[in-house]
Amino acid sequence: MAAHIGRRLRKGAATTAVAAAAVAALSASQAPGATVDDQGRQSTGDATSAPDTAADDSATGNSPYYTDLPPLNSPAPSPSAGSGEAGDRSAAEAGIPATVLDAYKKAEAALREKKAGCNLPWQLLAAIGKVESGQARGGRVTADGTTVTPILGPQLDGNGFALIRDTDDGAYDGNRMYDQAVGPMQFIPSTWSWAGRDGNGDGRKDPNNIYDAALAAGHYLCRFDWDLSEPGDLRKAILSYNNSTEYLNTVLSWLEYYRKGTHEIPDGTGALPEDRSDARPGVTPSAPGTTPPARPGTRPGKPSGPRPSPSPSAPGTGSPSAPPTTPPPSTPPTPTDTVHHLEDAGTGTLTAMAGHTFAERISTRAETEAGKAVAKVRIRFTIVGDTDTTFAGGESVATVTTDASGVAVAPALQAGERTGAFAVQAAVAGRSVKGVPYKVTVTQRVADALTRVGEKELTCVAGGEFAEPVEVKATYGGEAAGKVAVTAKLVTSADDPAENDKGPYFKDTDGKAIRTLTGLRTGPDGQLTLPKLYADDTAGTFLLRLTTAGGATLEVELTVEPAAAPSPGPDPSADPDPSTDPSTEPSDTPAA
């Protein structure tokens, strides 16, 4: 009992100290125009940068979470720190289970490579994992990172929680009526369908696997080109995960705590948090993995409260009159509920060159069954197929709210390097209604002009090599055309495109002569320097023809000069110079 009381006192002190620090950090990064609604949810007036934090379009559906705050003791206690039950629990609270910690660090490394500008710290994933599931229920995971038993939040049936009807036919949460948050990072099925990742390389995207869930959470937090080293972007990212100021402060508290240091503990030995955000006087909060039990005297999904007492007996009657019948309150339909189908809203041809931004943007209209426009409906645009094309910020999914005319215009598509056709699917977020598929095509990079860099004549002596390399620049519409395919070919003549079998040549990797090069590409600046050219023993003027995707052509003249004739040596038959003939020189030997 003493240990329990001591823990509650310590925890109360921690709540005061750490919450104060979190609020101070939050105040320093408060965005202009930020407001808090009557549900404690924070938003900002900057509609262009604020995330869409509607329940059915967030990571967790704004599901309940743990509100326990970090302990006051050191994040990395020494083996002698603490004793007994209190000391053991403190170490368990401060530590992170080995497999869970490994998943967070691997996710950070992957995001450092894929989205370096996001600056995602693994401690943020640890803070969210602590608040969402108590680090996968204290690290109760298998060797590959899958939770021993599924972790499910309460069903989001609108009874004290957000109303999110089933979107996955129960595939992830086993519930075909309403969605529930799933796994150690508590993704709702509709978010996992596009945010899910394979973090452990087994070919599956499983929200119950901590490696998959941690990587998905990292990508989710790094969308919109957010830089998490900036306090404002960090705040927006956390609020997009669960839109509550209390949630934000709790995550920031654990983030600060883990940044000061932590330690690894064995899987399955972590302490389970106790306090939940859905705790109310007289009601036992639901732990992740369960559906809230019905309160006494109520049926699941029905509002609670005292039953109406019978009316007093009418005068002159021996029995009380029947209680008045009042129809149960009904939830008015939301705009999303009234959508019957989606229609294309005049989208043109969706074609762009690799590496370029699409000029045309997808426009979709939400309509009722009678064809009437529906405003304030979230439309989710998802890129489907084998492509590296993305929306702004490098994401494959974008959510846009319809305007007064019922139209949602998707962000501009940015073509990747992979050419070919794929699709963008427009659907209503949180509803299974008829959507609209859009065919999208990425074409190869092209150039409409090709010019030589430099004006020096390209000459060589037969049997030698050209001292100057051939340098060219490709352009498209007057701008540098980078990564454009170029073919270089030594042709017979301007009128005969056949490959020449004599004159200048290139060398392959084995040093053999070749006169056609394919697979060349211009650099980012549109320039290309060809490999060194050599000449055989044939003198004359030759043509090097360069062509690009898109039809740009350039012919470069190459001159091979005859090898110099060898200088003649002395003629042995010629008469010797008398002046040097030894027989004509006087002799010092006296005559006989």
Side-chain angles (χ1 to χ4, degrees):
M1 176 64 72
H4 176 74
I5 294 174
R7 178 178 179 276
R8 301 308 301 175
L9 290 174
R10 171 177 54 77
K11 186 171 180 181
T15 301
T16 302
V18 181
V23 171
L26 175 64
S27 299
S29 63
Q30 193 78 16
T35 59
V36 179
D37 65 16
D38 58 357
Q39 299 299 318
R41 297 180 179 132
Q42 190 162 5
S43 61
T44 177
D46 183 2
T48 59
S49 60
D52 181 353
T53 52
D56 60 356
D57 203 37
S58 67
T60 68
N62 298 334
S63 293
Y65 53 89
Y66 288 113
T67 58
D68 297 53
L69 288 168
L72 288 176
N73 59 291
S74 167
S78 62
S80 60
S83 60
E85 179 186 348
D88 293 342
R89 182 171 183 87
S90 176
E93 283 181 337
I96 300 177
T99 299
V100 178
L101 180 60
D102 183 57
Y104 296 150
K105 291 184 175 181
K106 279 185 166 57
E108 179 197 57
L111 268 296
R112 191 185 305 121
E113 178 182 350
K114 296 290 185 182
K115 295 185 177 181
C118 178
N119 294 306
L120 171 80
W122 66 261
Q123 291 91 340
L124 176 58
L125 297 176
I128 290 176
K130 180 71 174 181
V131 171
E132 292 295 346
S133 68
Q135 309 297 20
R137 287 183 180 155
R140 288 161 178 79
V141 295
T142 61
D144 70 346
T146 302
T147 57
V148 175
T149 56
I151 301 177
L152 296 174
Q155 67 177 16
L156 301 174
D157 58 5
N159 184 26
F161 310 106
L163 174 60
I164 304 179
R165 296 184 176 87
D166 177 54
T167 61
D168 65 331
D169 197 30
Y172 294 117
D173 54 16
N175 190 335
R176 295 187 178 183
M177 293 188 64
Y178 303 99
D179 273 352
Q180 295 175 246
V182 181
M185 303 304 279
Q186 289 289 277
F187 279 96
I188 54 174
S190 59
T191 302
W192 183 261
S193 66
W194 61 264
R197 296 291 195 277
D198 176 15
N200 62 352
D202 64 355
R204 299 174 61 237
K205 299 176 183 178
D206 182 3
N208 292 298
N209 183 280
I210 186 59
Y211 288 99
D212 294 0
L215 183 60
H219 277 277
Y220 184 90
L221 294 165
C222 287
R223 70 201 195 286
F224 302 130
D225 279 340
W226 282 332
D227 179 357
L228 302 185
S229 66
E230 294 290 332
D233 283 357
L234 175 64
R235 179 185 64 80
K236 286 186 285 187
I238 296 172
L239 285 172
S240 77
Y241 210 89
N242 193 314
N243 193 24
S244 159
T245 303
E246 183 185 12
Y247 180 87
L248 171 67
N249 292 340
T250 307
V251 170
L252 287 174
S253 298
W254 282 103
L255 171 60
E256 180 66 18
Y257 183 77
Y258 287 136
R259 275 177 167 164
K260 292 179 179 178
T262 185
H263 60 280
E264 178 184 298
I265 60 175
D267 289 345
T269 64
L272 291 177
E274 295 181 348
D275 298 332
R276 297 278 296 174
S277 62
D278 55 342
R280 302 185 294 276
V283 179
T284 302
S286 59
T290 64
T291 298
R295 281 167 277 173
T298 67
R299 290 180 293 168
K302 296 293 183 180
S304 62
R307 295 183 179 181
S309 57
S311 301
S313 302
T317 64
S319 61
S321 61
T325 58
T326 302
S330 60
T331 303
T334 65
T336 300
D337 293 330
T338 66
V339 178
H340 177 265
H341 61 273
L342 298 180
E343 293 286 348
D344 175 47
T347 306
T349 303
L350 295 165
T351 301
M353 188 191 309
H356 288 239
T357 300
F358 282 74
E360 185 72 16
R361 294 169 65 177
I362 297 173
S363 297
T364 303
R365 175 181 160 97
E367 297 183 353
T368 64
E369 186 172 7
K372 183 179 178 180
V374 184
K376 298 181 180 180
V377 174
R378 289 176 301 282
I379 306 300
R380 179 174 295 130
F381 299 94
T382 305
I383 297 174
V384 181
D386 185 16
T387 181
D388 54 354
T389 295
T390 64
F391 291 111
E395 295 299 325
S396 60
V397 176
T399 302
V400 181
T401 302
T402 58
D403 59 18
S405 63
V407 174
V409 180
L413 286 162
Q414 177 65 43
E417 295 302 322
R418 198 170 301 165
T419 60
F422 59 96
V424 172
Q425 181 70 37
V428 178
R431 284 287 309 279
S432 297
V433 299
K434 179 185 176 184
V436 182
Y438 294 88
K439 182 181 179 180
V440 186
T441 304
V442 176
T443 61
Q444 65 177 332
R445 291 175 179 263
V446 299
D448 56 15
L450 193 60
T451 57
R452 186 181 162 212
V453 177
E455 299 179 353
K456 191 172 182 179
E457 292 186 0
L458 299 170
T459 62
C460 174
V461 175
E465 59 185 51
F466 287 80
E468 294 292 328
V470 177
E471 295 182 88
V472 297
K473 181 174 183 177
T475 56
Y476 181 79
E479 300 292 332
K483 301 182 181 180
V484 173
V486 179
T487 297
K489 183 178 182 181
L490 290 148
V491 298
T492 303
S493 68
D495 299 324
D496 186 355
E499 181 181 281
N500 206 337
D501 60 357
K502 60 176 70 71
Y505 60 90
F506 300 103
K507 287 183 179 180
D508 63 13
T509 54
D510 296 326
K512 296 180 179 179
I514 55 172
R515 291 184 167 86
T516 300
L517 293 179
T518 58
L520 302 172
R521 287 194 179 272
T522 60
D525 58 356
Q527 295 194 185
L528 170 67
T529 300
L530 270 62
K532 183 182 287 291
L533 275 162
Y534 302 85
D536 61 12
D537 295 334
T538 307
T541 301
F542 301 88
L543 283 180
L544 172 64
R545 178 173 293 168
L546 296 103
T547 56
T548 71
T553 302
L554 174 67
E555 290 183 346
V556 179
E557 191 173 273
L558 305 173
T559 302
V560 178
E561 299 175 344
S567 59
D571 186 354
S573 63
D575 292 334
D577 185 348
S579 64
T580 60
D581 186 354
S583 63
T584 63
E585 294 182 359
S587 173
D588 294 335
T589 306

